[in-house]
């Protein structure tokens, strides 16, 4: 018996067409899950489905904005119409902003919190309700190093991810009696479309690598193991936990 096997499982990945979500969609599909990658861009969804065809027997094209509950609910309806169940939810949709806190506008603050925190809550709420009905399911939220430490000129982002971390713990405690597990992954610094512009700052990049014991940025494929573990029966008694995948960044002091 392979406790990491995801065959027969249906995995929905919000933000599943780029960056970390794209890597995780590949990893879960490779582990046997039927993966439904969701984003706001239909062309990206179509492309990701095409790339996953060698693993998935079925496919489903869905677009949704995580900050709009109606669209998330419609996404669930489509998944259930096709597969009759949803076993795994990955929340990887997110946005970033590098800007001095004194210059962050109210609208910018609202947008970051709306997508990163409110969006994660909405998807957990909508899909969690279905998992509670099923009396089974597992949710993996993507947090960040910024949930633990201050990142330079990224206050709204760090606050939103700290919220994701505590949201994960709250839901894990509340939904354990329904056999629904909720965990999170906090990636270190990985080069993705989300932070591509930030990492072009060679001074900032140098400081990041200089404080990472591995001496390099992470590869998104290096997050797959943690995600498959949390999505599978291998972690059947794990809930409310966060797995940090950062090359030792948080462990390094002076």
């Amino acid at each position: 018996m392979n406790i990491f096997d995801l065959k027969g499982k249906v995995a929905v990945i919000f933000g599943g067409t780029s960056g970390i979500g794209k890597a995780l969609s590949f990893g879960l599909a490779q582990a046997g899950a039927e993966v439904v990658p969701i984003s706001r861009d239909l062309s990206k969804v179509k492309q990701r489905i095409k790339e996953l065809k060698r693993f998935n027997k079925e496919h489903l094209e869905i677009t949704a904005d995580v900050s709009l509950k109606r669209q998330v609910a419609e996404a669930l309806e489509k998944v259930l119409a096709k597969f009759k169940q949803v076993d795994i939810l990955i929340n990887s949709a997110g946005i970033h902003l590098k800007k001095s806190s004194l210059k962050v506008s109210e609208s910018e603050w609202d947008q970051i919190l709306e997508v990163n925190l409110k969006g994660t809550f909405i998807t957990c709420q909508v899909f969690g309700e279905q998992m509670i009905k099923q009396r089974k399911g597992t949710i993996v939220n993507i947090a960040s190093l910024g949930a633990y430490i201050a990142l330079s000129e990224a206050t709204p982002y760090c606050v939103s991810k700290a919220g994701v971390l505590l949201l994960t713990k709250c839901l894990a405690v509340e939904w354990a009696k329904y056999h629904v597990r909720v965990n999170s992954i906090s990636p270190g610094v990985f080069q993705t479309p989300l932070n591509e512009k930030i990492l072009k700052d060679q001074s900032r990049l140098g400081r990041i690598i200089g404080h990472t014991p591995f001496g390099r940025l992470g590869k998104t494929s290096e997050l797959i193991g943690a995600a498959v573990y949390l999505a599978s029966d291998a972690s059947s008694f794990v809930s409310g936990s966060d797995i940090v995948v950062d090359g030792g960044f948080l462990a390094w002091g002076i």
Side-chain angles (χ1 to χ4, degrees), residues 71-91:
Q71 291 189 14
V72 174
E74 288 173 353
L76 173 61
E77 289 176 6
K78 291 175 182 176
V79 171
L80 294 179
K82 179 78 171 180
F83 297 104
K84 312 302 180 189
Q85 68 188 57
V86 56
D87 304 287
I88 302 159
L89 170 66
I90 307 283
N91 281 312

Side-chain angles (χ1 to χ4, degrees), residues 15 47 78 81 98 108 112 116 124 131 176:
Q47 179 60 33
K78 291 175 182 176
K98 183 186 183 319
E108 288 171 330
I112 295 287
N116 293 358
C124 285
M131 291 178 176

Side-chain angles (χ1 to χ4, degrees), residues 114 130 161:
E114 187 167 87
Q130 174 60 29
K161 290 301 186 176

Side-chain angles (χ1 to χ4, degrees), residues 7-29:
K7 288 177 183 174
K9 305 287 188 182
V10 177
V12 173
I13 305 182
F14 282 94
T17 61
S18 65
I20 290 171
K22 181 177 180 179
L24 298 188
S25 69
F26 172 80
L28 267 62

Side-chain angles (χ1 to χ4, degrees), residues 198-219:
I198 295 171
L199 295 179
K200 286 181 179 178
D201 181 339
Q202 292 302 307
S203 174
R204 187 183 183 94
L205 178 60
R207 291 197 303 273
I208 292 168
I209 292 176
H211 192 79
T212 304
F214 272 39
R216 63 174 174 83
L217 300 179
K219 302 172 185 176

Side-chain angles (χ1 to χ4, degrees), residues 15-134:
T17 61
S18 65
I20 290 171
K22 181 177 180 179
L24 298 188
S25 69
F26 172 80
L28 267 62
Q30 193 175 37
E34 290 289 345
V35 174
V36 182
I38 300 177
S39 75
R40 293 178 296 177
D41 189 326
L42 182 58
S43 64
K44 289 183 178 180
V45 170
K46 287 178 179 289
Q47 179 60 33
R48 194 66 192 132
I49 288 172
K50 184 178 179 182
E51 294 165 348
L52 293 173
K53 276 187 176 179
R54 60 186 170 129
F55 299 110
N56 286 176
K57 297 177 183 177
E58 305 290 342
H59 68 273
L60 188 58
E61 295 177 359
I62 301 177
T63 59
D65 183 331
V66 294
S67 66
L68 299 175
K69 188 173 182 178
R70 175 182 54 80
Q71 291 189 14
V72 174
E74 288 173 353
L76 173 61
E77 289 176 6
K78 291 175 182 176
V79 171
L80 294 179
K82 179 78 171 180
F83 297 104
K84 312 302 180 189
Q85 68 188 57
V86 56
D87 304 287
I88 302 159
L89 170 66
I90 307 283
N91 281 312
S92 186
I95 56 176
H96 195 286
L97 175 69
K98 183 186 183 319
K99 197 171 189 179
S100 165
S101 295
L102 292 177
K103 296 182 179 179
V104 173
S105 67
E106 287 185 54
S107 62
E108 288 171 330
W109 172 275
D110 290 344
Q111 185 183 28
I112 295 287
L113 272 291
E114 187 167 87
V115 174
N116 293 358
L117 182 54
K118 177 186 170 184
T120 300
F121 174 71
I122 287 175
T123 54
C124 285
Q125 185 183 54
V126 171
F127 280 76
E129 184 175 17
Q130 174 60 29
M131 291 178 176
I132 288 169
K133 289 177 183 177
Q134 298 170 172

